[in-house]
Amino acid sequence: MIIKNPKFEISAVSPKQYPQNHLPEIVLAGKSNVGKSSFINTLINRKNLARTSSEPGKTRQINFYNIDDIFYFVDLPGYGYSKMSKEEQVKVGQFIEKYLSIRENIKLIILILDIRHKPTEDDKLMYNYIKATNLPFIIIANKADKIAVTKVDEAVEEIKKELKTLTETIVIPFSSERKIYSEKAWKEISNIIME
């Protein structure tokens, strides 16, 4: 997909701030610093539309990126960031949950994991929560450039085993650095938004 004019639209913490134009929404979930912003930037071929940071826990709001008025990438705050106060974690958790439970525009949830590590307890909780929403979802195993190419399939299988994924769950390796596997991710997204 060739993207011509993507733009950051709004950061929201409550339903009244969500965009009102009914475009399909592709939601990105994952722990802090797993590479959600880099994933967006890689797919739309821009360096820094979605702001990346080496400091985890930077995204504290739900960020809506309007992709050519075709759909939104919706970047949720990362979870599992230990320096965020308990009170703040609860608050962020509540507005994420509210968004996921009431928003009718959500067409696909993408759970982004780090391919180098076993899914954390937080990852497992998020996976089970997403599964329970009954919304379509896929898993992106990010940072595939950090392991040997020969180990990628094995790492993907390990993620599936740890999460006890459903047989039909799609897990796609991904690398923002090398931009490999982007076509597979786009194929899944296009299938959803063209429905």
Side-chain angles (χ1 to χ4, degrees), residues 156-189:
V156 164
E157 286 311 311
E158 185 64 27
I159 285 172
K160 288 180 175 178
K161 196 175 88 187
E162 284 291 315
L163 292 177
K164 301 181 178 70
T165 56
L166 305 164
T167 340
E168 64 274 20
T169 300
I170 295 167
V171 181
I172 302 172
F174 192 82
S175 163
S176 297
E177 292 294 313
R178 293 202 198 136
K179 301 189 177 179
I180 39 179
Y181 314 107
S182 296
E183 296 84 5
K184 284 185 180 176
W186 262 130
K187 184 168 170 263
E188 293 305 321
I189 292 167

Side-chain angles (χ1 to χ4, degrees), residues 17-194:
Q17 297 169 312
Y18 303 160
Q20 299 302 313
N21 55 14
H22 306 297
L23 292 178
E25 292 174 1
I26 307 294
V27 181
L28 305 176
K31 67 174 190 264
S32 295
N33 232 22
V34 76
K36 297 190 300 300
S37 301
S38 302
F39 176 79
I40 294 172
N41 290 333
T42 301
L43 284 192
I44 62 171
N45 207 17
R46 295 290 187 281
K47 278 214 162 54
N48 51 11
L49 177 72
R51 292 179 211 98
T52 59
S53 168
S54 55
E55 189 187 320
K58 272 295 194 200
T59 307
R60 304 281 173 96
Q61 297 160 319
I62 300 172
N63 290 326
F64 289 81
Y65 297 93
N66 183 324
I67 310 302
D68 289 359
D69 286 325
I70 300 168
F71 72 97
Y72 285 102
F73 272 129
V74 182
D75 187 8
L76 299 180
Y79 52 78
Y81 179 51
S82 56
K83 285 191 183 164
M84 204 188 277
S85 73
K86 280 277 180 274
E87 197 177 298
E88 202 163 6
Q89 282 178 32
V90 168
K91 201 166 82 179
V92 168
Q94 282 169 343
F95 69 70
I96 290 176
E97 204 168 317
K98 182 155 207 168
Y99 167 75
L100 290 174
S101 63
I102 68 164
R103 190 66 166 163
E104 290 176 1
N105 305 34
I106 299 171
K107 296 298 177 210
L108 179 71
I109 300 177
I110 301 176
L111 176 59
I112 301 188
L113 303 175
D114 188 329
I115 198 166
R116 300 169 298 175
H117 309 297
K118 285 183 176 181
T120 62
E121 286 311 307
D122 285 332
D123 290 328
K124 290 176 184 176
L125 278 171
M126 184 50 107
Y127 170 73
N128 288 321
Y129 180 81
I130 290 169
K131 208 167 59 171
T133 64
N134 288 322
L135 289 161
F137 71 91
I138 60 171
I139 295 171
I140 292 290
N142 200 16
K143 311 198 182 192
D145 55 287
K146 308 281 191 223
I147 62 174
V149 176
T150 52
K151 299 272 187 210
V152 168
D153 289 346
E154 196 183 306
V156 164
E157 286 311 311
E158 185 64 27
I159 285 172
K160 288 180 175 178
K161 196 175 88 187
E162 284 291 315
L163 292 177
K164 301 181 178 70
T165 56
L166 305 164
T167 340
E168 64 274 20
T169 300
I170 295 167
V171 181
I172 302 172
F174 192 82
S175 163
S176 297
E177 292 294 313
R178 293 202 198 136
K179 301 189 177 179
I180 39 179
Y181 314 107
S182 296
E183 296 84 5
K184 284 185 180 176
W186 262 130
K187 184 168 170 263
E188 293 305 321
I189 292 167
S190 302
N191 287 346
I192 289 284
I193 54 179
M194 297 309 172

